[in-house]
Amino acid sequence: MADPQSARTSLWAFLREVGKHWVTLMSGGFITVALGLLERLSGKAVPLWVYGCVLVFFVFLACYLAWRDERQKHPHDGSKDKRAILAERLSALVKEAGDVDYGIVSLSTIEGLDKMGHADGHRKRVKKFLAIHYDAKMVERYETEGTGLLEELLADCYRSEVA
């Protein structure tokens, strides 16, 4: 269970940051100055609801700025997520390779042609995956090394997660 004290502390820290940004926006924002000049030069009062909308807009903008500042302090490293996705897909392709590796088949039967179609489809899926997530050299290596390359790439993904 999460520590309630840390949740309150982080909420207050967030609100303080929002407050700092909000005060900055309200005190010297272009919109605030423009509204003041409009009132002064036209001699007409700007409706109260316009100021209310500006206040609400600045609160939302201050929330965004506080969020952005926190993201810049602690950037999210998406490489771990990408490695996990690559590892999952590579694992599925390696497993599928075992399912379609028929050895020598007879092309004179429907069953043999069907098996060859499955193997060809698998090879095309692997090549497309490698072209998208790696490069053309990996596709060429797959043509010569076969499933061994997929196993090597999968091992690299797992080694990267541990490191």
Side-chain angles (χ1 to χ4, degrees):
M1 185 168 171
D3 179 20
Q5 182 63 31
S6 67
R8 267 182 289 178
T9 304
S10 64
L11 175 64
W12 288 117
F14 173 73
L15 291 176
R16 278 193 306 274
E17 288 301 313
V18 168
K20 288 177 191 175
H21 285 292
W22 186 73
V23 168
T24 302
L25 290 168
M26 288 300 298
S27 63
F30 175 76
I31 296 172
T32 309
V33 172
L35 286 175
L37 286 173
L38 180 66
E39 277 187 327
R40 177 72 78 170
L41 296 175
S42 70
K44 297 179 183 176
V46 174
L48 193 56
W49 66 268
V50 173
Y51 281 108
C53 290
V54 169
L55 289 173
V56 170
F57 171 72
F58 282 161
V59 167
F60 282 111
L61 186 58
C63 287
Y64 166 73
L65 292 171
W67 171 81
R68 186 193 64 184
D69 289 349
E70 190 62 27
R71 292 282 293 187
Q72 287 174 345
K73 283 185 213 171
H74 308 285
H76 173 68
D77 181 15
S79 62
K80 288 184 181 178
D81 297 334
K82 183 178 178 183
R83 279 194 305 266
I85 291 168
L86 286 175
E88 181 180 322
R89 185 66 181 126
L90 282 166
S91 179
L93 289 170
V94 168
K95 181 185 179 306
E96 185 182 353
D99 295 341
V100 298
D101 187 16
Y102 303 115
I104 298 174
V105 294
S106 171
L107 297 178
S108 62
T109 64
I110 300 282
E111 182 183 7
L113 290 173
D114 188 45
K115 288 179 180 181
M116 287 299 295
H118 280 76
D120 188 53
H122 170 72
R123 188 175 55 75
K124 287 178 182 176
R125 283 190 296 280
V126 170
K127 288 171 69 173
K128 182 177 179 182
F129 173 81
L130 292 173
I132 291 171
H133 296 287
Y134 292 94
D135 57 19
K137 289 181 182 179
M138 284 296 181
V139 175
E140 290 173 16
R141 279 186 62 192
Y142 174 71
E143 289 293 336
T144 58
E145 297 177 31
T147 307
L149 175 65
L150 299 179
E151 292 170 347
E152 180 184 322
L153 293 173
L154 180 60
D156 285 344
C157 285
Y158 288 133
R159 272 193 293 271
S160 298
E161 275 185 14
V162 174

